[in-house]
PDB file of all heavy atoms in Angstrom:
ATOM      1  N   ILE A 242     112.010 116.687  95.323  1.00 95.00           N
ATOM      2  CA  ILE A 242     111.321 117.825  94.714  1.00 95.00           C
ATOM      3  C   ILE A 242     111.203 117.635  93.200  1.00 95.00           C
ATOM      4  O   ILE A 242     110.156 117.909  92.605  1.00 95.00           O
ATOM      5  CB  ILE A 242     112.057 119.143  95.027  1.00 95.00           C
ATOM      6  CG1 ILE A 242     112.092 119.389  96.551  1.00 95.00           C
ATOM      7  CG2 ILE A 242     111.416 120.302  94.304  1.00 95.00           C
ATOM      8  CD1 ILE A 242     110.730 119.537  97.192  1.00 95.00           C
ATOM      9  N   ALA A 243     112.273 117.118  92.576  1.00 94.00           N
ATOM     10  CA  ALA A 243     112.243 116.890  91.123  1.00 94.00           C
ATOM     11  C   ALA A 243     111.205 115.832  90.756  1.00 94.00           C
ATOM     12  O   ALA A 243     110.487 115.976  89.752  1.00 94.00           O
ATOM     13  CB  ALA A 243     113.626 116.476  90.629  1.00 94.00           C
ATOM     14  N   GLU A 244     111.111 114.761  91.552  1.00 95.00           N
ATOM     15  CA  GLU A 244     110.098 113.731  91.277  1.00 95.00           C
ATOM     16  C   GLU A 244     108.685 114.293  91.409  1.00 95.00           C
ATOM     17  O   GLU A 244     107.805 113.998  90.599  1.00 95.00           O
ATOM     18  CB  GLU A 244     110.274 112.543  92.220  1.00 95.00           C
ATOM     19  CG  GLU A 244     109.233 111.447  91.963  1.00 95.00           C
ATOM     20  CD  GLU A 244     109.288 110.306  92.962  1.00 95.00           C
ATOM     21  OE1 GLU A 244     110.381 110.021  93.482  1.00 95.00           O
ATOM     22  OE2 GLU A 244     108.225 109.696  93.218  1.00 95.00           O
ATOM     23  N   LEU A 245     108.472 115.103  92.427  1.00 95.00           N
ATOM     24  CA  LEU A 245     107.153 115.702  92.610  1.00 95.00           C
ATOM     25  C   LEU A 245     106.779 116.580  91.411  1.00 95.00           C
ATOM     26  O   LEU A 245     105.647 116.535  90.922  1.00 95.00           O
ATOM     27  CB  LEU A 245     107.120 116.520  93.901  1.00 95.00           C
ATOM     28  CG  LEU A 245     107.038 115.715  95.198  1.00 95.00           C
ATOM     29  CD1 LEU A 245     107.197 116.636  96.408  1.00 95.00           C
ATOM     30  CD2 LEU A 245     105.714 114.965  95.287  1.00 95.00           C
ATOM     31  N   LYS A 246     107.721 117.356  90.921  1.00 94.00           N
ATOM     32  CA  LYS A 246     107.437 118.213  89.771  1.00 94.00           C
ATOM     33  C   LYS A 246     107.083 117.374  88.544  1.00 94.00           C
ATOM     34  O   LYS A 246     106.168 117.723  87.777  1.00 94.00           O
ATOM     35  CB  LYS A 246     108.644 119.104  89.471  1.00 94.00           C
ATOM     36  CG  LYS A 246     108.880 120.201  90.497  1.00 94.00           C
ATOM     37  CD  LYS A 246     110.087 121.043  90.124  1.00 94.00           C
ATOM     38  CE  LYS A 246     110.289 122.176  91.127  1.00 94.00           C
ATOM     39  NZ  LYS A 246     111.479 122.991  90.796  1.00 94.00           N
ATOM     40  N   TYR A 247     107.802 116.267  88.349  1.00 93.00           N
ATOM     41  CA  TYR A 247     107.499 115.399  87.210  1.00 93.00           C
ATOM     42  C   TYR A 247     106.102 114.805  87.330  1.00 93.00           C
ATOM     43  O   TYR A 247     105.295 114.870  86.391  1.00 93.00           O
ATOM     44  CB  TYR A 247     108.533 114.280  87.114  1.00 93.00           C
ATOM     45  CG  TYR A 247     108.117 113.174  86.163  1.00 93.00           C
ATOM     46  CD1 TYR A 247     108.079 113.397  84.788  1.00 93.00           C
ATOM     47  CD2 TYR A 247     107.738 111.928  86.650  1.00 93.00           C
ATOM     48  CE1 TYR A 247     107.678 112.395  83.919  1.00 93.00           C
ATOM     49  CE2 TYR A 247     107.340 110.922  85.778  1.00 93.00           C
ATOM     50  CZ  TYR A 247     107.301 111.159  84.423  1.00 93.00           C
ATOM     51  OH  TYR A 247     106.899 110.169  83.561  1.00 93.00           O
ATOM     52  N   CYS A 248     105.793 114.235  88.493  1.00 92.00           N
ATOM     53  CA  CYS A 248     104.511 113.543  88.633  1.00 92.00           C
ATOM     54  C   CYS A 248     103.335 114.512  88.702  1.00 92.00           C
ATOM     55  O   CYS A 248     102.237 114.186  88.243  1.00 92.00           O
ATOM     56  CB  CYS A 248     104.545 112.625  89.866  1.00 92.00           C
ATOM     57  SG  CYS A 248     105.633 111.201  89.605  1.00 92.00           S
ATOM     58  N   LEU A 249     103.549 115.712  89.237  1.00 91.00           N
ATOM     59  CA  LEU A 249     102.479 116.707  89.234  1.00 91.00           C
ATOM     60  C   LEU A 249     102.152 117.178  87.824  1.00 91.00           C
ATOM     61  O   LEU A 249     101.052 117.679  87.567  1.00 91.00           O
ATOM     62  CB  LEU A 249     102.872 117.903  90.106  1.00 91.00           C
ATOM     63  CG  LEU A 249     102.861 117.665  91.626  1.00 91.00           C
ATOM     64  CD1 LEU A 249     103.471 118.850  92.362  1.00 91.00           C
ATOM     65  CD2 LEU A 249     101.451 117.384  92.134  1.00 91.00           C
ATOM     66  N   SER A 250     103.096 116.986  86.886  1.00 92.00           N
ATOM     67  CA  SER A 250     102.831 117.363  85.496  1.00 92.00           C
ATOM     68  C   SER A 250     101.957 116.335  84.778  1.00 92.00           C
ATOM     69  O   SER A 250     101.463 116.601  83.680  1.00 92.00           O
ATOM     70  CB  SER A 250     104.154 117.528  84.732  1.00 92.00           C
ATOM     71  OG  SER A 250     104.752 116.264  84.467  1.00 92.00           O
ATOM     72  N   LEU A 251     101.750 115.167  85.394  1.00 91.00           N
ATOM     73  CA  LEU A 251     100.991 114.093  84.734  1.00 91.00           C
ATOM     74  C   LEU A 251      99.492 114.327  84.794  1.00 91.00           C
ATOM     75  O   LEU A 251      98.751 113.832  83.936  1.00 91.00           O
ATOM     76  CB  LEU A 251     101.321 112.742  85.380  1.00 91.00           C
ATOM     77  CG  LEU A 251     102.777 112.298  85.338  1.00 91.00           C
ATOM     78  CD1 LEU A 251     102.957 110.970  86.043  1.00 91.00           C
ATOM     79  CD2 LEU A 251     103.269 112.207  83.895  1.00 91.00           C
ATOM     80  N   SER A 252      99.018 115.030  85.809  1.00 88.00           N
ATOM     81  CA  SER A 252      97.585 115.243  85.963  1.00 88.00           C
ATOM     82  C   SER A 252      97.324 116.591  86.629  1.00 88.00           C
ATOM     83  O   SER A 252      97.915 116.882  87.677  1.00 88.00           O
ATOM     84  CB  SER A 252      96.958 114.127  86.812  1.00 88.00           C
ATOM     85  OG  SER A 252      95.628 114.450  87.178  1.00 88.00           O
ATOM     86  N   PRO A 253      96.430 117.390  86.054  1.00 87.00           N
ATOM     87  CA  PRO A 253      96.103 118.686  86.672  1.00 87.00           C
ATOM     88  C   PRO A 253      95.244 118.550  87.918  1.00 87.00           C
ATOM     89  O   PRO A 253      94.992 119.543  88.605  1.00 87.00           O
ATOM     90  CB  PRO A 253      95.341 119.416  85.560  1.00 87.00           C
ATOM     91  CG  PRO A 253      94.729 118.322  84.744  1.00 87.00           C
ATOM     92  CD  PRO A 253      95.717 117.194  84.773  1.00 87.00           C
ATOM     93  N   ASP A 254      94.787 117.322  88.208  1.00 85.00           N
ATOM     94  CA  ASP A 254      93.932 117.111  89.380  1.00 85.00           C
ATOM     95  C   ASP A 254      94.726 116.895  90.665  1.00 85.00           C
ATOM     96  O   ASP A 254      94.150 116.900  91.758  1.00 85.00           O
ATOM     97  CB  ASP A 254      93.017 115.896  89.166  1.00 85.00           C
ATOM     98  CG  ASP A 254      92.045 116.114  88.018  1.00 85.00           C
ATOM     99  OD1 ASP A 254      91.745 117.286  87.717  1.00 85.00           O
ATOM    100  OD2 ASP A 254      91.593 115.120  87.415  1.00 85.00           O
ATOM    101  N   LEU A 255      96.036 116.671  90.545  1.00 88.00           N
ATOM    102  CA  LEU A 255      96.850 116.411  91.732  1.00 88.00           C
ATOM    103  C   LEU A 255      97.042 117.697  92.523  1.00 88.00           C
ATOM    104  O   LEU A 255      97.591 118.676  92.000  1.00 88.00           O
ATOM    105  CB  LEU A 255      98.211 115.838  91.324  1.00 88.00           C
ATOM    106  CG  LEU A 255      98.175 114.444  90.679  1.00 88.00           C
ATOM    107  CD1 LEU A 255      99.539 114.087  90.117  1.00 88.00           C
ATOM    108  CD2 LEU A 255      97.734 113.396  91.689  1.00 88.00           C
ATOM    109  N   GLU A 256      96.589 117.704  93.756  1.00 89.00           N
ATOM    110  CA  GLU A 256      96.713 118.905  94.578  1.00 89.00           C
ATOM    111  C   GLU A 256      97.095 118.602  96.018  1.00 89.00           C
ATOM    112  O   GLU A 256      97.066 119.487  96.876  1.00 89.00           O
ATOM    113  CB  GLU A 256      95.413 119.713  94.536  1.00 89.00           C
ATOM    114  CG  GLU A 256      94.171 118.931  94.888  1.00 89.00           C
ATOM    115  CD  GLU A 256      92.901 119.749  94.670  1.00 89.00           C
ATOM    116  OE1 GLU A 256      93.010 120.904  94.214  1.00 89.00           O
ATOM    117  OE2 GLU A 256      91.816 119.238  94.963  1.00 89.00           O
ATOM    118  N   TYR A 257      97.464 117.352  96.288  1.00 92.00           N
ATOM    119  CA  TYR A 257      97.948 116.952  97.604  1.00 92.00           C
ATOM    120  C   TYR A 257      99.100 115.980  97.419  1.00 92.00           C
ATOM    121  O   TYR A 257      99.208 115.309  96.397  1.00 92.00           O
ATOM    122  CB  TYR A 257      96.839 116.276  98.431  1.00 92.00           C
ATOM    123  CG  TYR A 257      95.719 117.202  98.815  1.00 92.00           C
ATOM    124  CD1 TYR A 257      94.640 117.395  97.969  1.00 92.00           C
ATOM    125  CD2 TYR A 257      95.754 117.916 100.011  1.00 92.00           C
ATOM    126  CE1 TYR A 257      93.617 118.263  98.295  1.00 92.00           C
ATOM    127  CE2 TYR A 257      94.734 118.790 100.345  1.00 92.00           C
ATOM    128  CZ  TYR A 257      93.672 118.956  99.490  1.00 92.00           C
ATOM    129  OH  TYR A 257      92.669 119.826  99.818  1.00 92.00           O
ATOM    130  N   VAL A 258      99.948 115.902  98.425  1.00 95.00           N
ATOM    131  CA  VAL A 258     101.090 114.987  98.403  1.00 95.00           C
ATOM    132  C   VAL A 258     101.048 114.148  99.673  1.00 95.00           C
ATOM    133  O   VAL A 258     100.760 114.653 100.761  1.00 95.00           O
ATOM    134  CB  VAL A 258     102.421 115.763  98.318  1.00 95.00           C
ATOM    135  CG1 VAL A 258     103.617 114.824  98.504  1.00 95.00           C
ATOM    136  CG2 VAL A 258     102.523 116.501  96.982  1.00 95.00           C
ATOM    137  N   SER A 259     101.321 112.858  99.514  1.00 94.00           N
ATOM    138  CA  SER A 259     101.418 111.957 100.661  1.00 94.00           C
ATOM    139  C   SER A 259     102.842 111.408 100.730  1.00 94.00           C
ATOM    140  O   SER A 259     103.426 111.042  99.707  1.00 94.00           O
ATOM    141  CB  SER A 259     100.420 110.801 100.514  1.00 94.00           C
ATOM    142  OG  SER A 259     100.600 109.845 101.536  1.00 94.00           O
ATOM    143  N   ILE A 260     103.399 111.381 101.936  1.00 96.00           N
ATOM    144  CA  ILE A 260     104.740 110.825 102.159  1.00 96.00           C
ATOM    145  C   ILE A 260     104.572 109.600 103.047  1.00 96.00           C
ATOM    146  O   ILE A 260     104.475 109.718 104.272  1.00 96.00           O
ATOM    147  CB  ILE A 260     105.675 111.851 102.820  1.00 96.00           C
ATOM    148  CG1 ILE A 260     105.731 113.135 101.977  1.00 96.00           C
ATOM    149  CG2 ILE A 260     107.077 111.273 103.008  1.00 96.00           C
ATOM    150  CD1 ILE A 260     106.532 114.260 102.614  1.00 96.00           C
ATOM    151  N   PRO A 261     104.494 108.393 102.453  1.00 93.00           N
ATOM    152  CA  PRO A 261     104.165 107.202 103.235  1.00 93.00           C
ATOM    153  C   PRO A 261     105.358 106.453 103.826  1.00 93.00           C
ATOM    154  O   PRO A 261     105.183 105.355 104.352  1.00 93.00           O
ATOM    155  CB  PRO A 261     103.433 106.325 102.207  1.00 93.00           C
ATOM    156  CG  PRO A 261     104.022 106.717 100.896  1.00 93.00           C
ATOM    157  CD  PRO A 261     104.480 108.143 101.012  1.00 93.00           C
TER     158      PRO A 261
END
Side-chain angles (χ1 to χ4, degrees):
I242 299 298
E244 180 185 330
L245 285 173
K246 289 180 178 179
Y247 167 70
C248 290
L249 287 171
S250 73
L251 300 179
S252 169
D254 296 335
L255 294 171
E256 53 187 2
Y257 293 87
V258 172
S259 174
I260 304 175

